[in-house]
Amino acid sequence: MTVLVEDNPARNRFEILIDDGLAGFASYRPGPAAVTVTHTEIDPAYRGRGAGDALAHGLLSQIRDRGEQVIPQCSFIAAYIDRHPEFAELVTGD
């Protein structure tokens, strides 16, 4: 099984592809220094199999690599950050 999380700036969302099929996405609003994540959705066929956590980890890692911060308006992403404090320094309220 291949898993890829990639930014799709044309659609303002991070997408998770599993075996080249779209398994879910996290919508966002870009900002000058922070990305506001507004909604996460996982295809029902992939729920309970770690796709949501893989998407959250991938998008937060990419945001960190770009030197940006995150505003987690999406409850799923906020909960993921609570469970993974290594991403807490990315959170901003701006």
Side-chain angles (χ1 to χ4, degrees):
M1 178 170 67
T2 60
V3 177
L4 175 67
V5 175
E6 60 185 9
D7 188 4
N8 183 341
R11 299 190 77 180
N12 285 334
R13 68 188 198 178
F14 284 90
E15 299 173 340
I16 183 165
L17 304 169
I18 298 178
D19 293 333
D20 296 323
L22 181 65
F25 62 88
S27 300
Y28 66 83
R29 286 190 315 269
V35 175
T36 302
V37 181
T38 58
H39 176 72
T40 300
E41 192 169 317
I42 299 296
D43 183 296
Y46 295 96
R47 290 184 189 154
R49 296 173 45 194
D53 283 353
L55 174 58
H57 185 273
L59 77 86
L60 291 167
S61 294
Q62 290 180 46
I63 288 170
R64 175 188 285 148
D65 291 347
R66 296 191 308 219
E68 296 177 321
Q69 291 187 291
V70 66
I71 301 170
Q73 287 185 347
C74 168
S75 60
F76 181 84
I77 297 300
Y80 183 87
I81 293 168
D82 286 345
R83 291 189 319 272
H84 297 86
E86 65 269 22
F87 292 111
E89 79 277 1
L90 298 178
V91 177
T92 184
D94 298 338

